[in-house]
Amino acid sequence: MSPFWGYFSRRAQIGAHVNSETVRTDSGSKAIAVAIVEDLTEIREGIADLLDATAGFRCVGRYGSMEHALAAFAHHPADVALCDIQLPGIDGIEGIRRLKAAHPQTVFIVFSVYDDDERVFDALCAGASGYLLKKTPPERLLEALTDAAAGGGPMSPEIAQRVIKLFRKFAPQRSEVQLTPHEVRLLRLISEGHDYPSAADELSVATSTVVYHMRQIFQKLQVHSKSQAVAQALKAGLLR
């Protein structure tokens, strides 16, 4: 057991409270309802005890699996859900995807030992609003939960750096190609599934005019088919 989780256990045993200078909450404000999805009992119960011992928070669910969370979540709604992703059965990322679809009002925060690009990317795509590593100190964890409930996206510094790198990696590349507004509109129609005649109807022009403009687009993008043109335009950020 790491010193961090040993710290949690000691807090639970002595019933200690977090210093009021560390986490500030208004006495009249509603306590933040937090659910925990974590298969390790010591971690799950340690966080739950910390929440219940801290003013401004209440633990409304402590689940050892995503199956348990999916079955019980509707009866115990949470403002924020803290979820591990390496779980038996349904993994945390798939669980977040399902829970987010059923409970869009809940903010989901990953709480994991893993910090690789693939898991971070998949978790955020699944609907997680933040990503914290399990070495996060208790005071910072409480601050992050408060931030999440207020609409923020808390992340451990290492994760934030990875997200920036991922954004740079997958962000649309700037293109030197310049399409006219009419060409962009035509290509957007093609990307939506229109063929040349139906695109011509949408634009109130002759089909031959569409064919002419598509040839111009092919030449500018240096492609030879509609699908290649759409793919190249998306990559270049021309169809936002």
PDB file of all heavy atoms in Angstrom, residues 193-229:
ATOM      1  N   GLY A 193     -23.220  12.959 -48.289  1.00  0.00           N
ATOM      2  CA  GLY A 193     -23.796  11.844 -49.029  1.00  0.00           C
ATOM      3  C   GLY A 193     -24.491  12.202 -50.331  1.00  0.00           C
ATOM      4  O   GLY A 193     -25.051  11.329 -50.999  1.00  0.00           O
ATOM      5  N   HIS A 194     -24.464  13.463 -50.711  1.00  0.00           N
ATOM      6  CA  HIS A 194     -25.098  13.853 -51.971  1.00  0.00           C
ATOM      7  C   HIS A 194     -24.274  13.372 -53.162  1.00  0.00           C
ATOM      8  O   HIS A 194     -23.039  13.356 -53.113  1.00  0.00           O
ATOM      9  CB  HIS A 194     -25.235  15.376 -52.046  1.00  0.00           C
ATOM     10  CG  HIS A 194     -26.297  15.931 -51.155  1.00  0.00           C
ATOM     11  ND1 HIS A 194     -27.611  16.047 -51.538  1.00  0.00           N
ATOM     12  CD2 HIS A 194     -26.238  16.395 -49.874  1.00  0.00           C
ATOM     13  CE1 HIS A 194     -28.319  16.574 -50.557  1.00  0.00           C
ATOM     14  NE2 HIS A 194     -27.512  16.793 -49.520  1.00  0.00           N
ATOM     15  N   ASP A 195     -24.974  12.993 -54.233  1.00  0.00           N
ATOM     16  CA  ASP A 195     -24.276  12.759 -55.485  1.00  0.00           C
ATOM     17  C   ASP A 195     -24.318  14.063 -56.286  1.00  0.00           C
ATOM     18  O   ASP A 195     -24.856  15.070 -55.826  1.00  0.00           O
ATOM     19  CB  ASP A 195     -24.905  11.599 -56.262  1.00  0.00           C
ATOM     20  CG  ASP A 195     -26.395  11.804 -56.548  1.00  0.00           C
ATOM     21  OD1 ASP A 195     -26.888  12.959 -56.429  1.00  0.00           O
ATOM     22  OD2 ASP A 195     -27.072  10.826 -56.894  1.00  0.00           O
ATOM     23  N   TYR A 196     -23.760  14.042 -57.491  1.00  0.00           N
ATOM     24  CA  TYR A 196     -23.684  15.288 -58.255  1.00  0.00           C
ATOM     25  C   TYR A 196     -25.060  15.884 -58.578  1.00  0.00           C
ATOM     26  O   TYR A 196     -25.280  17.083 -58.399  1.00  0.00           O
ATOM     27  CB  TYR A 196     -22.880  15.066 -59.533  1.00  0.00           C
ATOM     28  CG  TYR A 196     -21.387  14.895 -59.314  1.00  0.00           C
ATOM     29  CD1 TYR A 196     -20.542  14.625 -60.386  1.00  0.00           C
ATOM     30  CD2 TYR A 196     -20.819  14.987 -58.043  1.00  0.00           C
ATOM     31  CE1 TYR A 196     -19.174  14.443 -60.203  1.00  0.00           C
ATOM     32  CE2 TYR A 196     -19.459  14.801 -57.840  1.00  0.00           C
ATOM     33  CZ  TYR A 196     -18.642  14.537 -58.919  1.00  0.00           C
ATOM     34  OH  TYR A 196     -17.304  14.372 -58.733  1.00  0.00           O
ATOM     35  N   PRO A 197     -26.028  15.079 -59.040  1.00  0.00           N
ATOM     36  CA  PRO A 197     -27.346  15.654 -59.348  1.00  0.00           C
ATOM     37  C   PRO A 197     -28.044  16.258 -58.122  1.00  0.00           C
ATOM     38  O   PRO A 197     -28.622  17.342 -58.204  1.00  0.00           O
ATOM     39  CB  PRO A 197     -28.128  14.457 -59.914  1.00  0.00           C
ATOM     40  CG  PRO A 197     -27.083  13.558 -60.468  1.00  0.00           C
ATOM     41  CD  PRO A 197     -25.927  13.677 -59.511  1.00  0.00           C
ATOM     42  N   SER A 198     -28.004  15.539 -56.983  1.00  0.00           N
ATOM     43  CA  SER A 198     -28.695  16.065 -55.803  1.00  0.00           C
ATOM     44  C   SER A 198     -27.969  17.286 -55.254  1.00  0.00           C
ATOM     45  O   SER A 198     -28.600  18.231 -54.747  1.00  0.00           O
ATOM     46  CB  SER A 198     -28.827  14.988 -54.726  1.00  0.00           C
ATOM     47  OG  SER A 198     -27.553  14.586 -54.240  1.00  0.00           O
ATOM     48  N   ALA A 199     -26.644  17.315 -55.376  1.00  0.00           N
ATOM     49  CA  ALA A 199     -25.891  18.496 -54.959  1.00  0.00           C
ATOM     50  C   ALA A 199     -26.248  19.675 -55.852  1.00  0.00           C
ATOM     51  O   ALA A 199     -26.378  20.815 -55.388  1.00  0.00           O
ATOM     52  CB  ALA A 199     -24.393  18.219 -55.014  1.00  0.00           C
ATOM     53  N   ALA A 200     -26.418  19.398 -57.142  1.00  0.00           N
ATOM     54  CA  ALA A 200     -26.807  20.455 -58.072  1.00  0.00           C
ATOM     55  C   ALA A 200     -28.172  21.030 -57.705  1.00  0.00           C
ATOM     56  O   ALA A 200     -28.389  22.251 -57.753  1.00  0.00           O
ATOM     57  CB  ALA A 200     -26.823  19.900 -59.498  1.00  0.00           C
ATOM     58  N   ASP A 201     -29.104  20.144 -57.316  1.00  0.00           N
ATOM     59  CA  ASP A 201     -30.428  20.611 -56.890  1.00  0.00           C
ATOM     60  C   ASP A 201     -30.323  21.491 -55.655  1.00  0.00           C
ATOM     61  O   ASP A 201     -31.002  22.531 -55.557  1.00  0.00           O
ATOM     62  CB  ASP A 201     -31.333  19.409 -56.588  1.00  0.00           C
ATOM     63  CG  ASP A 201     -31.746  18.660 -57.845  1.00  0.00           C
ATOM     64  OD1 ASP A 201     -31.653  19.254 -58.942  1.00  0.00           O
ATOM     65  OD2 ASP A 201     -32.147  17.481 -57.742  1.00  0.00           O
ATOM     66  N   GLU A 202     -29.493  21.089 -54.692  1.00  0.00           N
ATOM     67  CA  GLU A 202     -29.336  21.871 -53.467  1.00  0.00           C
ATOM     68  C   GLU A 202     -28.764  23.254 -53.753  1.00  0.00           C
ATOM     69  O   GLU A 202     -29.121  24.241 -53.102  1.00  0.00           O
ATOM     70  CB  GLU A 202     -28.416  21.131 -52.488  1.00  0.00           C
ATOM     71  CG  GLU A 202     -29.023  19.922 -51.825  1.00  0.00           C
ATOM     72  CD  GLU A 202     -30.082  20.279 -50.794  1.00  0.00           C
ATOM     73  OE1 GLU A 202     -29.949  21.346 -50.156  1.00  0.00           O
ATOM     74  OE2 GLU A 202     -31.039  19.507 -50.642  1.00  0.00           O
ATOM     75  N   LEU A 203     -27.879  23.317 -54.749  1.00  0.00           N
ATOM     76  CA  LEU A 203     -27.212  24.582 -55.067  1.00  0.00           C
ATOM     77  C   LEU A 203     -27.924  25.362 -56.167  1.00  0.00           C
ATOM     78  O   LEU A 203     -27.507  26.476 -56.516  1.00  0.00           O
ATOM     79  CB  LEU A 203     -25.770  24.301 -55.499  1.00  0.00           C
ATOM     80  CG  LEU A 203     -24.863  23.672 -54.434  1.00  0.00           C
ATOM     81  CD1 LEU A 203     -23.528  23.267 -55.048  1.00  0.00           C
ATOM     82  CD2 LEU A 203     -24.649  24.632 -53.276  1.00  0.00           C
ATOM     83  N   SER A 204     -28.973  24.758 -56.726  1.00  0.00           N
ATOM     84  CA  SER A 204     -29.747  25.395 -57.805  1.00  0.00           C
ATOM     85  C   SER A 204     -28.867  25.713 -59.014  1.00  0.00           C
ATOM     86  O   SER A 204     -28.910  26.817 -59.587  1.00  0.00           O
ATOM     87  CB  SER A 204     -30.444  26.674 -57.305  1.00  0.00           C
ATOM     88  OG  SER A 204     -31.327  26.383 -56.252  1.00  0.00           O
ATOM     89  N   VAL A 205     -28.046  24.739 -59.377  1.00  0.00           N
ATOM     90  CA  VAL A 205     -27.186  24.883 -60.556  1.00  0.00           C
ATOM     91  C   VAL A 205     -27.311  23.614 -61.393  1.00  0.00           C
ATOM     92  O   VAL A 205     -27.896  22.615 -60.961  1.00  0.00           O
ATOM     93  CB  VAL A 205     -25.698  25.100 -60.166  1.00  0.00           C
ATOM     94  CG1 VAL A 205     -25.537  26.386 -59.363  1.00  0.00           C
ATOM     95  CG2 VAL A 205     -25.155  23.906 -59.383  1.00  0.00           C
ATOM     96  N   ALA A 206     -26.735  23.642 -62.573  1.00  0.00           N
ATOM     97  CA  ALA A 206     -26.750  22.468 -63.441  1.00  0.00           C
ATOM     98  C   ALA A 206     -25.747  21.434 -62.950  1.00  0.00           C
ATOM     99  O   ALA A 206     -24.734  21.781 -62.333  1.00  0.00           O
ATOM    100  CB  ALA A 206     -26.407  22.881 -64.871  1.00  0.00           C
ATOM    101  N   THR A 207     -26.031  20.176 -63.250  1.00  0.00           N
ATOM    102  CA  THR A 207     -25.113  19.114 -62.847  1.00  0.00           C
ATOM    103  C   THR A 207     -23.743  19.320 -63.482  1.00  0.00           C
ATOM    104  O   THR A 207     -22.707  19.034 -62.861  1.00  0.00           O
ATOM    105  CB  THR A 207     -25.671  17.740 -63.264  1.00  0.00           C
ATOM    106  OG1 THR A 207     -26.938  17.531 -62.637  1.00  0.00           O
ATOM    107  CG2 THR A 207     -24.725  16.613 -62.849  1.00  0.00           C
ATOM    108  N   SER A 208     -23.711  19.834 -64.693  1.00  0.00           N
ATOM    109  CA  SER A 208     -22.438  20.086 -65.363  1.00  0.00           C
ATOM    110  C   SER A 208     -21.603  21.114 -64.600  1.00  0.00           C
ATOM    111  O   SER A 208     -20.365  21.041 -64.593  1.00  0.00           O
ATOM    112  CB  SER A 208     -22.670  20.567 -66.800  1.00  0.00           C
ATOM    113  OG  SER A 208     -23.436  21.762 -66.808  1.00  0.00           O
ATOM    114  N   THR A 209     -22.273  22.044 -63.941  1.00  0.00           N
ATOM    115  CA  THR A 209     -21.561  23.042 -63.140  1.00  0.00           C
ATOM    116  C   THR A 209     -20.922  22.383 -61.927  1.00  0.00           C
ATOM    117  O   THR A 209     -19.780  22.695 -61.557  1.00  0.00           O
ATOM    118  CB  THR A 209     -22.531  24.144 -62.678  1.00  0.00           C
ATOM    119  OG1 THR A 209     -23.118  24.765 -63.827  1.00  0.00           O
ATOM    120  CG2 THR A 209     -21.806  25.188 -61.846  1.00  0.00           C
ATOM    121  N   VAL A 210     -21.642  21.448 -61.303  1.00  0.00           N
ATOM    122  CA  VAL A 210     -21.096  20.711 -60.172  1.00  0.00           C
ATOM    123  C   VAL A 210     -19.873  19.914 -60.613  1.00  0.00           C
ATOM    124  O   VAL A 210     -18.847  19.883 -59.932  1.00  0.00           O
ATOM    125  CB  VAL A 210     -22.158  19.777 -59.558  1.00  0.00           C
ATOM    126  CG1 VAL A 210     -21.514  18.801 -58.575  1.00  0.00           C
ATOM    127  CG2 VAL A 210     -23.232  20.593 -58.860  1.00  0.00           C
ATOM    128  N   VAL A 211     -19.986  19.249 -61.764  1.00  0.00           N
ATOM    129  CA  VAL A 211     -18.864  18.467 -62.287  1.00  0.00           C
ATOM    130  C   VAL A 211     -17.647  19.356 -62.504  1.00  0.00           C
ATOM    131  O   VAL A 211     -16.516  18.997 -62.140  1.00  0.00           O
ATOM    132  CB  VAL A 211     -19.248  17.775 -63.612  1.00  0.00           C
ATOM    133  CG1 VAL A 211     -18.022  17.121 -64.241  1.00  0.00           C
ATOM    134  CG2 VAL A 211     -20.333  16.740 -63.371  1.00  0.00           C
ATOM    135  N   TYR A 212     -17.868  20.535 -63.059  1.00  0.00           N
ATOM    136  CA  TYR A 212     -16.765  21.471 -63.300  1.00  0.00           C
ATOM    137  C   TYR A 212     -16.088  21.866 -61.994  1.00  0.00           C
ATOM    138  O   TYR A 212     -14.855  21.824 -61.869  1.00  0.00           O
ATOM    139  CB  TYR A 212     -17.287  22.718 -64.016  1.00  0.00           C
ATOM    140  CG  TYR A 212     -16.279  23.850 -64.050  1.00  0.00           C
ATOM    141  CD1 TYR A 212     -15.225  23.835 -64.965  1.00  0.00           C
ATOM    142  CD2 TYR A 212     -16.369  24.914 -63.161  1.00  0.00           C
ATOM    143  CE1 TYR A 212     -14.284  24.860 -64.992  1.00  0.00           C
ATOM    144  CE2 TYR A 212     -15.435  25.938 -63.168  1.00  0.00           C
ATOM    145  CZ  TYR A 212     -14.386  25.896 -64.093  1.00  0.00           C
ATOM    146  OH  TYR A 212     -13.456  26.915 -64.105  1.00  0.00           O
ATOM    147  N   HIS A 213     -16.902  22.222 -60.979  1.00  0.00           N
ATOM    148  CA  HIS A 213     -16.333  22.659 -59.700  1.00  0.00           C
ATOM    149  C   HIS A 213     -15.621  21.508 -58.982  1.00  0.00           C
ATOM    150  O   HIS A 213     -14.603  21.723 -58.316  1.00  0.00           O
ATOM    151  CB  HIS A 213     -17.422  23.264 -58.808  1.00  0.00           C
ATOM    152  CG  HIS A 213     -17.822  24.648 -59.221  1.00  0.00           C
ATOM    153  ND1 HIS A 213     -16.956  25.710 -59.172  1.00  0.00           N
ATOM    154  CD2 HIS A 213     -19.003  25.134 -59.686  1.00  0.00           C
ATOM    155  CE1 HIS A 213     -17.578  26.805 -59.589  1.00  0.00           C
ATOM    156  NE2 HIS A 213     -18.827  26.471 -59.912  1.00  0.00           N
ATOM    157  N   MET A 214     -16.150  20.299 -59.111  1.00  0.00           N
ATOM    158  CA  MET A 214     -15.482  19.167 -58.482  1.00  0.00           C
ATOM    159  C   MET A 214     -14.120  18.907 -59.135  1.00  0.00           C
ATOM    160  O   MET A 214     -13.153  18.551 -58.446  1.00  0.00           O
ATOM    161  CB  MET A 214     -16.350  17.913 -58.569  1.00  0.00           C
ATOM    162  CG  MET A 214     -17.541  17.917 -57.620  1.00  0.00           C
ATOM    163  SD  MET A 214     -17.085  18.092 -55.861  1.00  0.00           S
ATOM    164  CE  MET A 214     -16.089  16.623 -55.610  1.00  0.00           C
ATOM    165  N   ARG A 215     -14.032  19.125 -60.443  1.00  0.00           N
ATOM    166  CA  ARG A 215     -12.728  18.989 -61.104  1.00  0.00           C
ATOM    167  C   ARG A 215     -11.744  20.013 -60.552  1.00  0.00           C
ATOM    168  O   ARG A 215     -10.555  19.709 -60.356  1.00  0.00           O
ATOM    169  CB  ARG A 215     -12.894  19.157 -62.610  1.00  0.00           C
ATOM    170  CG  ARG A 215     -13.549  17.968 -63.298  1.00  0.00           C
ATOM    171  CD  ARG A 215     -13.778  18.249 -64.771  1.00  0.00           C
ATOM    172  NE  ARG A 215     -14.400  17.105 -65.451  1.00  0.00           N
ATOM    173  CZ  ARG A 215     -14.922  17.158 -66.669  1.00  0.00           C
ATOM    174  NH1 ARG A 215     -14.899  18.297 -67.357  1.00  0.00           N
ATOM    175  NH2 ARG A 215     -15.449  16.078 -67.201  1.00  0.00           N
ATOM    176  N   GLN A 216     -12.232  21.218 -60.320  1.00  0.00           N
ATOM    177  CA  GLN A 216     -11.378  22.259 -59.749  1.00  0.00           C
ATOM    178  C   GLN A 216     -10.914  21.866 -58.338  1.00  0.00           C
ATOM    179  O   GLN A 216      -9.754  22.070 -57.970  1.00  0.00           O
ATOM    180  CB  GLN A 216     -12.149  23.589 -59.680  1.00  0.00           C
ATOM    181  CG  GLN A 216     -12.529  24.173 -61.026  1.00  0.00           C
ATOM    182  CD  GLN A 216     -11.299  24.540 -61.844  1.00  0.00           C
ATOM    183  OE1 GLN A 216     -10.986  23.898 -62.844  1.00  0.00           O
ATOM    184  NE2 GLN A 216     -10.582  25.562 -61.404  1.00  0.00           N
ATOM    185  N   ILE A 217     -11.836  21.287 -57.584  1.00  0.00           N
ATOM    186  CA  ILE A 217     -11.504  20.845 -56.212  1.00  0.00           C
ATOM    187  C   ILE A 217     -10.472  19.728 -56.259  1.00  0.00           C
ATOM    188  O   ILE A 217      -9.502  19.736 -55.506  1.00  0.00           O
ATOM    189  CB  ILE A 217     -12.784  20.377 -55.483  1.00  0.00           C
ATOM    190  CG1 ILE A 217     -13.705  21.573 -55.211  1.00  0.00           C
ATOM    191  CG2 ILE A 217     -12.422  19.674 -54.169  1.00  0.00           C
ATOM    192  CD1 ILE A 217     -15.072  21.194 -54.683  1.00  0.00           C
ATOM    193  N   PHE A 218     -10.679  18.757 -57.170  1.00  0.00           N
ATOM    194  CA  PHE A 218      -9.716  17.663 -57.298  1.00  0.00           C
ATOM    195  C   PHE A 218      -8.316  18.197 -57.597  1.00  0.00           C
ATOM    196  O   PHE A 218      -7.324  17.738 -57.037  1.00  0.00           O
ATOM    197  CB  PHE A 218     -10.131  16.717 -58.432  1.00  0.00           C
ATOM    198  CG  PHE A 218     -11.320  15.844 -58.116  1.00  0.00           C
ATOM    199  CD1 PHE A 218     -11.834  14.988 -59.081  1.00  0.00           C
ATOM    200  CD2 PHE A 218     -11.935  15.859 -56.865  1.00  0.00           C
ATOM    201  CE1 PHE A 218     -12.920  14.174 -58.815  1.00  0.00           C
ATOM    202  CE2 PHE A 218     -13.026  15.055 -56.584  1.00  0.00           C
ATOM    203  CZ  PHE A 218     -13.520  14.210 -57.550  1.00  0.00           C
ATOM    204  N   GLN A 219      -8.262  19.171 -58.477  1.00  0.00           N
ATOM    205  CA  GLN A 219      -6.977  19.731 -58.877  1.00  0.00           C
ATOM    206  C   GLN A 219      -6.308  20.451 -57.713  1.00  0.00           C
ATOM    207  O   GLN A 219      -5.101  20.293 -57.473  1.00  0.00           O
ATOM    208  CB  GLN A 219      -7.165  20.685 -60.054  1.00  0.00           C
ATOM    209  CG  GLN A 219      -5.859  21.245 -60.603  1.00  0.00           C
ATOM    210  CD  GLN A 219      -6.079  22.104 -61.841  1.00  0.00           C
ATOM    211  OE1 GLN A 219      -7.205  22.292 -62.283  1.00  0.00           O
ATOM    212  NE2 GLN A 219      -5.003  22.626 -62.398  1.00  0.00           N
ATOM    213  N   LYS A 220      -7.078  21.224 -56.964  1.00  0.00           N
ATOM    214  CA  LYS A 220      -6.532  21.974 -55.833  1.00  0.00           C
ATOM    215  C   LYS A 220      -6.043  21.048 -54.724  1.00  0.00           C
ATOM    216  O   LYS A 220      -5.004  21.289 -54.108  1.00  0.00           O
ATOM    217  CB  LYS A 220      -7.581  22.941 -55.279  1.00  0.00           C
ATOM    218  CG  LYS A 220      -7.877  24.131 -56.175  1.00  0.00           C
ATOM    219  CD  LYS A 220      -8.900  25.057 -55.526  1.00  0.00           C
ATOM    220  CE  LYS A 220      -9.184  26.268 -56.405  1.00  0.00           C
ATOM    221  NZ  LYS A 220     -10.162  27.192 -55.760  1.00  0.00           N
ATOM    222  N   LEU A 221      -6.822  19.988 -54.466  1.00  0.00           N
ATOM    223  CA  LEU A 221      -6.469  19.077 -53.379  1.00  0.00           C
ATOM    224  C   LEU A 221      -5.541  17.953 -53.827  1.00  0.00           C
ATOM    225  O   LEU A 221      -5.082  17.162 -52.997  1.00  0.00           O
ATOM    226  CB  LEU A 221      -7.745  18.463 -52.768  1.00  0.00           C
ATOM    227  CG  LEU A 221      -8.709  19.448 -52.101  1.00  0.00           C
ATOM    228  CD1 LEU A 221      -9.942  18.700 -51.576  1.00  0.00           C
ATOM    229  CD2 LEU A 221      -8.041  20.204 -50.966  1.00  0.00           C
ATOM    230  N   GLN A 222      -5.312  17.866 -55.135  1.00  0.00           N
ATOM    231  CA  GLN A 222      -4.436  16.834 -55.712  1.00  0.00           C
ATOM    232  C   GLN A 222      -4.943  15.425 -55.383  1.00  0.00           C
ATOM    233  O   GLN A 222      -4.212  14.569 -54.889  1.00  0.00           O
ATOM    234  CB  GLN A 222      -2.989  17.019 -55.228  1.00  0.00           C
ATOM    235  CG  GLN A 222      -2.393  18.344 -55.662  1.00  0.00           C
ATOM    236  CD  GLN A 222      -0.947  18.511 -55.243  1.00  0.00           C
ATOM    237  OE1 GLN A 222      -0.385  17.650 -54.563  1.00  0.00           O
ATOM    238  NE2 GLN A 222      -0.329  19.612 -55.640  1.00  0.00           N
ATOM    239  N   VAL A 223      -6.247  15.214 -55.667  1.00  0.00           N
ATOM    240  CA  VAL A 223      -6.880  13.914 -55.448  1.00  0.00           C
ATOM    241  C   VAL A 223      -7.609  13.508 -56.720  1.00  0.00           C
ATOM    242  O   VAL A 223      -7.701  14.281 -57.683  1.00  0.00           O
ATOM    243  CB  VAL A 223      -7.868  13.963 -54.257  1.00  0.00           C
ATOM    244  CG1 VAL A 223      -7.141  14.292 -52.959  1.00  0.00           C
ATOM    245  CG2 VAL A 223      -8.978  14.985 -54.517  1.00  0.00           C
ATOM    246  N   HIS A 224      -8.164  12.285 -56.712  1.00  0.00           N
ATOM    247  CA  HIS A 224      -8.788  11.764 -57.925  1.00  0.00           C
ATOM    248  C   HIS A 224     -10.185  11.189 -57.688  1.00  0.00           C
ATOM    249  O   HIS A 224     -10.743  10.553 -58.591  1.00  0.00           O
ATOM    250  CB  HIS A 224      -7.897  10.681 -58.540  1.00  0.00           C
ATOM    251  CG  HIS A 224      -6.501  11.146 -58.828  1.00  0.00           C
ATOM    252  ND1 HIS A 224      -6.190  11.958 -59.890  1.00  0.00           N
ATOM    253  CD2 HIS A 224      -5.336  10.924 -58.164  1.00  0.00           C
ATOM    254  CE1 HIS A 224      -4.892  12.217 -59.900  1.00  0.00           C
ATOM    255  NE2 HIS A 224      -4.353  11.599 -58.852  1.00  0.00           N
ATOM    256  N   SER A 225     -10.743  11.376 -56.491  1.00  0.00           N
ATOM    257  CA  SER A 225     -12.084  10.853 -56.225  1.00  0.00           C
ATOM    258  C   SER A 225     -12.780  11.715 -55.183  1.00  0.00           C
ATOM    259  O   SER A 225     -12.137  12.490 -54.458  1.00  0.00           O
ATOM    260  CB  SER A 225     -12.028   9.405 -55.735  1.00  0.00           C
ATOM    261  OG  SER A 225     -11.468   9.347 -54.433  1.00  0.00           O
ATOM    262  N   LYS A 226     -14.100  11.549 -55.115  1.00  0.00           N
ATOM    263  CA  LYS A 226     -14.884  12.300 -54.136  1.00  0.00           C
ATOM    264  C   LYS A 226     -14.462  11.954 -52.705  1.00  0.00           C
ATOM    265  O   LYS A 226     -14.321  12.837 -51.856  1.00  0.00           O
ATOM    266  CB  LYS A 226     -16.376  12.020 -54.315  1.00  0.00           C
ATOM    267  CG  LYS A 226     -16.972  12.550 -55.604  1.00  0.00           C
ATOM    268  CD  LYS A 226     -18.478  12.358 -55.640  1.00  0.00           C
ATOM    269  CE  LYS A 226     -18.846  10.884 -55.702  1.00  0.00           C
ATOM    270  NZ  LYS A 226     -20.318  10.681 -55.822  1.00  0.00           N
ATOM    271  N   SER A 227     -14.288  10.665 -52.432  1.00  0.00           N
ATOM    272  CA  SER A 227     -13.927  10.252 -51.072  1.00  0.00           C
ATOM    273  C   SER A 227     -12.564  10.806 -50.680  1.00  0.00           C
ATOM    274  O   SER A 227     -12.367  11.250 -49.539  1.00  0.00           O
ATOM    275  CB  SER A 227     -13.930   8.725 -50.957  1.00  0.00           C
ATOM    276  OG  SER A 227     -13.007   8.149 -51.865  1.00  0.00           O
ATOM    277  N   GLN A 228     -11.621  10.801 -51.616  1.00  0.00           N
ATOM    278  CA  GLN A 228     -10.305  11.358 -51.320  1.00  0.00           C
ATOM    279  C   GLN A 228     -10.404  12.866 -51.079  1.00  0.00           C
ATOM    280  O   GLN A 228      -9.722  13.414 -50.209  1.00  0.00           O
ATOM    281  CB  GLN A 228      -9.346  11.082 -52.482  1.00  0.00           C
ATOM    282  CG  GLN A 228      -8.923   9.639 -52.608  1.00  0.00           C
ATOM    283  CD  GLN A 228      -8.018   9.405 -53.820  1.00  0.00           C
ATOM    284  OE1 GLN A 228      -7.893  10.270 -54.681  1.00  0.00           O
ATOM    285  NE2 GLN A 228      -7.399   8.231 -53.873  1.00  0.00           N
ATOM    286  N   ALA A 229     -11.245  13.526 -51.850  1.00  0.00           N
ATOM    287  CA  ALA A 229     -11.410  14.973 -51.686  1.00  0.00           C
ATOM    288  C   ALA A 229     -11.964  15.305 -50.311  1.00  0.00           C
ATOM    289  O   ALA A 229     -11.493  16.231 -49.634  1.00  0.00           O
ATOM    290  CB  ALA A 229     -12.327  15.514 -52.778  1.00  0.00           C
TER     291      ALA A 229
END
